[in-house]
């Protein structure tokens, strides 16, 4: 079914590509790009890819559906002549205010018409001015509809009922983050209010994603399909459970009846074939309230003499550039064997030629990208600097080698924040720099990595560390920070999903190693899976050796339930996956020989 949506995008002269999102955004994003940028190819120039639009939804199909709609709108905007012809033969391309008609895509004609009407009503509601609404309570942001949410950030998403437009409920979402200059807002209309909440959250997350992308200076921003407003003040509350539980049985018929009662009717034009994804353009026209409901006859697809009206010329772009990592991607078939191998290496039960890559021939932006091998949870509610003062007291290498034992007895005390800081910085901190080309120095770390790409990320589940509240944190090696990812589960709960529950429960902290395959496989293809595992092994050994030199116990562990840990960290288990664990704890007093 996804292929039908994707084909509908390409038939309109565009292409869709998946947009990697920060881990704290729990959603799926697709971007609309020119057809020339369709292929996921290795591009050593790190060339700019123009983004024509961005779609955010709970899954890929939902995001592609939005791109189908936006592709059609962009064509209409650029042509300026694509008309809607109603049952009286009257032809209109745009509303009096110059805005293009709303476009809807769906599995059926009725579904597409309903989506188009909802979008047109949302635009009108936003333009009418929004000042107040009824706050929707009883919703846990960590359990948003269809898994779409922000988590672990210093802010929140509030949803409101904003009254009705032409008899159809309007739902608004407001995203407030301390580090944003102003709230981000979106409004949608939907007869099914609970679905409206879901769509509003997706829409405001789309706005948030747009703010994170680099902007081009030579283009204007395309119209926002869900409307826009500045903020909303709550004048009352209503529980989420009291909202409309399901859509009407005849949703399109109910919509037309409500429009008629409020003096409107829908003029519809069919843009896409009905045998696959239905695609329609819709414009609401005024009519007498007493006038009986008349359904417009769908117009035929553009004929040869009008086809030029719908040709995708130089479309109005969103005014954004794709993040650089879209230039360092690959065809999925290039890593198919590695993906199959990884899936079959989970706790249930290829080799390829290497491309010739000369880093010296890469552009400075591309080479600089290679030195930014880390994530960033910059909106985390809690962050702890990992820059300890003074030099640690370390055992000699001879003592470390002789003393290291995975099963050494752990004490029930705490680790100190200084010990954790020394452990993280000595095992994965920057220790020098290398020259790449003639104009760039790339940071080097204490642990070796294939190609210097550093395909592993360190997360730390803290339970007993002085000065650090319990929770799952990401270690940012560039900023030397612990950034909060999740604080809903304890180490004792997580230990139940390991092969040694009692042993894991003794630990004061747990290091979680995540392989970021995309950082590596653009260069090494199938052999990249092997190098990611090697990178992880090198890093784990550095953690174990450093922990032992600090007088701590470090117990590496491969026995864990993959899918549980992937979901806990927030990765998909395919492009990014949890590979390894290490338990950390203080050494039991008097246990020197273990």
């Amino acid at each position: 079914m996804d292929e039908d949506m994707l084909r509908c995008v390409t038939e309109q002269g565009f292409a869709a590509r998946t947009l990697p999102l920060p881990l704290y955004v729990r959603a799926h994003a697709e971007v609309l790009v020119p057809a020339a940028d369709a292929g996921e190819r290795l591009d050593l120039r790190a060339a700019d890819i123009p983004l024509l639009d961005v779609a955010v939804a709970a899954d890929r199909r939902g995001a592609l559906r939005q791109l189908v709609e936006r592709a059609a709108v962009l064509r209409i905007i650029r042509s300026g002549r694509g008309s809607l012809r109603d049952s009286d033969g009257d032809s209109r391309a745009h509303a009096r205010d110059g805005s293009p008609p709303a476009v809807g895509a769906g599995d059926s004609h009725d579904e597409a018409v309903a989506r188009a009407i909802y979008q047109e009503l949302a635009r009108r509601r936003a333009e009418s001015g929004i000042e107040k609404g009824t706050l929707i309570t009883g919703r846990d942001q960590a359990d948003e509809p269809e898994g779409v949410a922000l988590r672990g950030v210093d802010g929140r998403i509030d949803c409101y009922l904003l009254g009705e437009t032409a008899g159809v409920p309007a739902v608004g979402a407001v995203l407030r983050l301390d580090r944003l200059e102003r709230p981000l807002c979106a409004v949608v209309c939907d007869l099914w209010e609970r679905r409206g909440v879901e769509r509003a959250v997706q829409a405001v997350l789309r706005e948030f994603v747009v703010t994170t992308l680099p902007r081009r200076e030579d283009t204007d921003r395309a119209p926002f399909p869900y409307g826009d407003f500045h903020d909303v003040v709550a004048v009352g509350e209503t529980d989420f459970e009291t909202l409309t539980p399901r859509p009407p049985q005849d949703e399109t018929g109910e919509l037309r009846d409500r429009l008629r009662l409020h003096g409107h009717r829908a003029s519809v034009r069919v843009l896409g074939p009905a045998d696959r994804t239905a695609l329609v353009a819709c414009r609401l026209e005024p009519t007498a309230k007493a006038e009986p409901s008349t359904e417009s006859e769908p117009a035929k697809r553009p004929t040869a003499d009008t086809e030029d009206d719908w040709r995708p010329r130089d479309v109005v772009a969103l005014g954004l550039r794709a993040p650089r990592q879209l230039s360092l991607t690959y065809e999925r078939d290039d890593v198919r064997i590695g993906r199959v191998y990884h899936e079959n290496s989970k706790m249930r039960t290829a080799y390829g030629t290497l491309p010739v890559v000369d880093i010296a021939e890469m552009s400075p932006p591309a080479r600089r990208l290679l030195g930014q091998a880390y994530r960033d949870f910059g909106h985390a509610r809690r962050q702890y600097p990992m820059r300890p003062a003074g030099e640690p007291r370390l055992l000699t290498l001879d003592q470390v080698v002789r003393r290291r034992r995975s099963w050494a007895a752990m004490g029930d005390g705490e680790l100190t924040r200084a010990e954790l800081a020394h452990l993280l910085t000595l095992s994965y901190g920057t220790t020098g720099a290398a020259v790449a080309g003639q104009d760039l120095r790339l940071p080097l770390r204490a642990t070796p990595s294939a190609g210097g790409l550093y395909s592993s990320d360190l997360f730390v589940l803290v339970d007993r560390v002085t000065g650090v509240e319990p929770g799952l944190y990401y270690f940012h090696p560039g900023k030397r920070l612990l950034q909060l990812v999740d604080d809903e589960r304890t180490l004792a709960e997580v230990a139940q999903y390991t092969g040694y529950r009692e042993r894991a429960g003794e630990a004061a902290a747990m290091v979680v190693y995540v392989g970021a395959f995309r950082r590596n496989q653009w260069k090494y293809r199938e052999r990249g899976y092997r190098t990611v595992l090697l990178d992880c092994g090198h890093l784990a050994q550095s953690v174990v050796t450093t922990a032992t030199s600090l007088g701590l116990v470090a117990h590496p562990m491969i026995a864990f339930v993959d899918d549980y840990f992937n979901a806990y960290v927030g990765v998909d288990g395919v492009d990014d996956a949890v590979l390894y664990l290490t338990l950390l704890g203080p050494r039991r007093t008097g246990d020197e020989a273990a």
Side-chain angles (χ1 to χ4, degrees):
M1 298 296 289
D2 289 356
E3 295 305 315
D4 289 343
M5 290 291 179
L6 189 59
R7 183 163 54 247
C8 198
V9 172
T10 58
E11 286 177 349
Q12 297 186 81
F14 302 100
R17 293 181 65 170
T18 299
L19 177 67
L21 294 178
L23 292 183
Y24 53 81
V25 180
R26 303 301 299 271
H28 184 90
E30 293 282 329
V31 291
L32 190 69
V33 299
D37 295 296
E40 292 199 8
R41 64 188 184 281
L42 178 67
D43 186 351
L44 298 184
R45 299 168 301 165
D48 282 341
I49 298 175
L51 299 191
L52 306 181
D53 217 309
V54 178
V56 175
D59 52 32
R60 185 169 185 251
R61 178 170 177 75
L64 288 175
R65 184 203 305 267
Q66 295 177 28
L67 288 192
V68 170
E69 297 167 346
R70 296 303 297 152
V73 170
L74 290 178
R75 296 178 68 194
I76 294 172
I77 291 174
R78 191 55 186 171
S79 72
R81 294 181 291 165
S83 64
L84 300 183
R85 191 172 301 279
D86 62 22
S87 56
D88 297 326
D90 191 13
S91 177
R92 301 172 181 84
H94 298 275
R96 292 181 179 87
D97 61 5
S99 63
V103 174
D107 295 330
S108 67
H109 174 80
D110 282 351
E111 182 183 7
V113 170
R115 285 181 60 87
I117 292 174
Y118 287 145
Q119 292 194 33
E120 177 67 7
L121 292 175
R123 182 185 65 83
R124 296 186 177 202
R125 182 68 185 94
E127 290 176 350
S128 67
I130 298 172
E131 297 179 353
K132 58 186 179 180
T134 302
L135 178 66
I136 300 172
T137 62
R139 296 171 53 253
D140 182 2
Q141 184 169 309
D143 188 24
E144 295 285 354
E146 301 297 327
V148 177
L150 289 173
R151 69 168 190 169
V153 300
D154 191 6
R156 68 185 189 278
I157 298 176
D158 293 322
C159 292
Y160 301 84
L161 290 179
L162 305 175
E164 294 185 345
T165 300
V168 178
V171 179
V174 180
L175 169 60
R176 298 179 175 90
L177 289 174
D178 289 349
R179 292 177 177 84
L180 290 178
E181 294 182 359
R182 64 179 182 88
L184 299 178
C185 310
V187 60
V188 302
C189 287
D190 204 307
L191 288 176
W192 184 9
E193 293 171 337
R194 294 189 186 182
R195 182 177 61 191
V197 171
E198 174 189 335
R199 292 177 54 224
V201 171
Q202 295 174 8
V204 80
L205 284 183
R206 184 259 190 191
E207 280 290 85
F208 176 69
V209 170
V210 167
T211 67
T212 66
L213 297 172
R215 182 169 297 278
R216 302 179 64 182
E217 299 179 357
D218 58 342
T219 54
D220 297 324
R221 177 170 172 174
F224 180 41
Y226 301 98
D228 196 7
F229 55 97
H230 294 296
D231 207 343
V232 59
V233 177
V235 294
E237 295 184 357
T238 186
D239 192 272
F240 180 78
E241 295 299 323
T242 66
L243 303 183
T244 309
R246 60 184 63 86
Q249 186 172 0
D250 180 10
E251 186 172 3
T252 308
E254 177 71 19
L255 267 175
R256 285 197 170 97
D257 288 343
R258 296 198 186 192
L259 290 176
R260 184 186 71 249
L261 291 175
H262 288 79
H264 294 86
R265 67 175 179 176
S267 295
V268 176
R269 177 178 180 177
V270 175
L271 304 179
D275 58 335
R276 294 200 300 271
T277 300
L279 182 63
V280 304
C282 176
R283 172 69 67 197
L284 298 185
E285 304 294 346
T287 185
K289 290 189 178 182
E291 180 179 343
S293 175
T294 43
E295 183 172 338
S296 303
E297 292 294 329
K300 295 180 180 180
R301 295 191 69 192
T303 56
D305 59 340
T306 63
E307 190 68 45
D308 187 62
D309 291 351
W310 300 88
R311 185 175 302 159
R313 300 177 180 86
D314 297 329
V315 298
V316 178
L318 187 63
L320 300 175
R321 300 192 307 267
R324 293 295 189 182
Q325 59 262 42
L326 280 185
S327 291
L328 299 179
T329 53
Y330 44 80
E331 296 290 347
R332 290 181 179 269
D333 282 345
D334 291 338
V335 294
R336 176 176 56 85
I337 296 175
R339 291 176 182 229
V340 172
Y341 179 81
H342 179 69
E343 186 65 24
N344 286 279
S345 67
K346 288 183 177 179
M347 195 175 174
R348 293 190 301 265
T349 44
Y351 175 79
T353 58
L354 298 180
V356 177
V357 177
D358 186 354
I359 293 179
E361 295 297 322
M362 298 170 71
S363 67
R367 293 200 299 273
R368 195 173 298 112
L369 175 65
L370 301 183
Q372 299 172 354
Y374 43 74
R375 308 174 191 270
D376 193 353
F377 292 78
H379 294 283
R381 291 196 305 272
R382 296 196 298 269
Q383 300 189 55
Y384 296 96
M386 291 285 107
R387 297 177 180 271
E391 296 293 329
R393 297 181 58 185
L394 302 176
L395 300 177
T396 65
L397 178 60
D398 179 74
Q399 291 173 313
V400 169
V401 172
R402 297 178 183 276
R403 196 177 190 186
R404 193 220 64 81
R405 294 292 183 271
S406 297
W407 282 92
M410 293 184 186
D412 56 4
E414 297 181 330
L415 300 182
T416 68
R417 180 169 164 181
E419 287 173 331
L420 183 59
H422 284 307
L423 171 64
L424 295 174
T425 55
L426 289 176
S427 58
Y428 215 35
T430 300
T431 57
V435 177
Q438 299 178 351
D439 58 345
L440 187 65
R441 293 175 64 83
L442 296 177
L444 299 178
R445 303 186 197 172
T447 297
S449 173
L453 299 177
Y454 299 103
S455 60
S456 293
D457 287 310
L458 280 183
F459 292 76
V460 183
L461 175 53
V462 171
D463 185 53
R464 305 190 313 274
V465 177
T466 57
V468 180
E469 294 186 43
L472 178 68
Y473 295 83
Y474 172 68
F475 174 60
H476 192 303
K479 298 179 180 178
R480 294 191 181 183
L481 288 175
L482 277 186
Q483 299 175 324
L484 178 66
V485 177
D486 186 283
D487 58 359
E488 296 296 323
R489 303 180 219 188
T490 65
L491 190 147
E493 292 174 309
V494 173
Q496 301 304 307
Y497 294 87
T498 69
Y500 301 95
R501 301 177 184 178
E502 292 185 4
R503 177 61 170 175
E506 296 174 359
M510 176 189 292
V511 178
V512 182
Y513 306 82
V514 173
F517 295 102
R518 188 175 286 269
R519 278 188 213 146
N520 185 297
Q521 289 181 319
W522 67 268
K523 178 178 180 180
Y524 293 114
R525 298 300 204 280
E526 289 294 357
R527 194 171 180 84
Y529 185 81
R530 184 187 302 185
T531 62
V532 171
L533 297 183
L534 290 172
D535 285 358
C536 181
H538 293 317
L539 177 55
Q541 179 62 20
S542 292
V543 169
V544 169
T545 301
T546 304
T548 306
S549 70
L550 290 167
L552 306 177
V553 175
H555 185 161
M557 182 177 292
I558 194 62
F560 60 91
V561 179
D562 292 75
D563 291 340
Y564 174 87
F565 274 83
N566 287 333
Y568 177 43
V569 172
V571 294
D572 61 10
V574 180
D575 285 322
D576 305 89
V578 176
L579 301 177
Y580 208 19
L581 308 176
T582 296
L583 307 177
L584 298 175
R587 185 176 292 266
R588 182 183 298 173
T589 303
D591 185 27
E592 300 295 329

